[in-house]
Amino acid sequence: SAEIVVANAVKVFGTGTAAVAALQDISTTVPEGQFLCLLGPSGCGKSTLLNAIAGFTPLTDGRITMGGKVVTQPGPDRGMVFQEYALFPWMTVEDNVRFGLDIKGVPKPEATIAVDRIVATLGLSDFRKRYPKDLSGGMRQRVAIARILALDPPVMLMDEPFGALDALTRRTLQDELLRIWSEYRKTIVFVTHSIEEAIYLADRILVMTYRPGRIKRDVNVPMPRPRD
Ligand code: ADP
Ligand code: ADP
């Protein structure tokens, strides 16, 4: 299953007087299919928690499991989308989307079907042959999402993915993401410092404190969801 369990997670950066406790005994469970937002001001530990779930940041203490297996490194079951698009500038849109499938060894005809489907899903069909530098920020972020989606991970981890976009583009992509979330039944953990964005997107919001590393509130958002 795609359930994520965070048990007494502690992360300390640095040592001695320079030590920063970025996570202080965080415990929570993210059920499969949930859209969870991590909300809080800059420096409160959101990215650290997300990166620990991704397997990029080893914990100082405690543990994180996904589907009962301890997370020790990044894996194909967890796709990560960053604020900066992290696209390959020398590859076209469709090659960027295809890249992960090639790495995975997916046979070419199968990969082509998947790429076609995902490119269409994200409204990128007219942009397949373009290079990232010739795309707007919103389009680039669509490609970044498409790239992760092509690999079909049960969990998508997103670190302020729309933070650099103008308000209208951001709203469009938020709606696209909600559609994808309900259609593909992903578990999503989404970092934001925008209360508005968290309320618009999430099933549930973990509010982190301004001093790093603690959960202040755990709020369910009782709204009709697109999947209902
Ligand atoms: P954000 O607030 O958007 O998460 P930051 O600018 O705080 O971004 O941090 C970006 C990245 O830089 C973090 O994910 C972390 O890995 C690294 N970083 C943040 N603070 C420090 C620090 N004090 N020393 C070294 N690296 C840091
Ligand atoms: P947020 O994502 O909420 O902005 P971060 O998780 O990036 O917060 O950072 C939490 C705290 O940990 C901050 O005080 C930050 O400076 C510190 N930090 C993050 N990454 C590093 C790092 N690689 N080295 C040292 N300190 C870090």
Side-chain angles (χ1 to χ4, degrees):
S1 90
E3 182 175 83
I4 300 162
V5 179
V6 179
N8 305 105
V10 174
K11 179 63 186 184
V12 180
F13 288 108
T15 54
T17 53
V20 175
L23 301 176
Q24 303 193 45
D25 197 21
I26 300 254
S27 294
T28 193
T29 297
V30 188
E32 185 170 330
Q34 186 163 74
F35 196 136
L36 176 71
C37 276
L38 303 178
L39 175 69
S42 190
C44 71
K46 306 179 298 293
S47 296
T48 303
L49 181 54
L50 194 76
N51 286 329
I53 294 170
F56 293 134
T57 300
L59 292 176
T60 308
D61 200 3
R63 67 175 192 175
I64 296 174
T65 59
M66 195 187 135
K69 282 175 57 189
V70 179
V71 167
T72 54
Q73 57 186 4
D77 54 349
R78 284 153 287 137
M80 185 84 162
V81 180
F82 301 93
Q83 178 172 346
E84 313 79 24
Y85 320 99
L87 304 175
F88 297 119
W90 62 88
M91 287 187 194
T92 62
V93 165
E94 70 178 10
D95 289 343
N96 265 286
V97 176
R98 181 188 298 273
F99 178 77
L101 297 168
D102 288 345
I103 294 289
K104 240 173 98 178
V106 174
K108 205 159 183 320
E110 214 178 293
T112 300
I113 291 168
V115 170
D116 286 349
R117 185 170 53 92
I118 298 298
V119 161
T121 294
L122 280 145
L124 289 164
S125 301
D126 294 341
F127 300 86
R128 314 177 59 117
K129 300 292 179 195
R130 295 223 201 161
Y131 288 87
K133 69 172 171 50
D134 301 322
L135 298 175
S136 65
M139 281 297 166
R140 286 185 201 162
Q141 200 51 280
R142 282 173 190 267
V143 180
I145 293 170
R147 214 177 175 207
I148 299 303
L149 212 53
L151 293 166
D152 199 25
V155 174
M156 290 176 74
L157 305 174
M158 311 185 87
D159 196 347
E160 305 226 23
F162 309 143
L165 306 176
D166 66 84
L168 186 60
T169 308
R170 186 182 316 135
R171 176 52 36 96
T172 307
L173 284 206
Q174 286 168 340
D175 287 334
E176 293 274 317
L177 182 61
L178 285 173
R179 185 175 59 75
I180 286 163
W181 170 63
S182 83
E183 191 173 322
Y184 292 79
R185 304 258 154 187
K186 301 293 181 192
T187 304
I188 297 182
V189 184
F190 186 107
V191 164
T192 180
H193 59 253
S194 160
I195 295 167
E196 192 275 339
E197 179 163 58
I199 290 172
Y200 193 75
L201 291 174
D203 263 345
R204 177 179 162 213
I205 304 174
L206 288 183
V207 185
M208 297 182 73
T209 51
Y210 117 89
R211 283 179 201 288
R214 289 187 184 279
I215 293 169
K216 178 78 169 174
R217 300 181 69 106
D218 185 345
V219 188
N220 287 304
V221 185
M223 299 242 286
R225 309 304 310 179
R227 66 168 58 162
D228 294 340

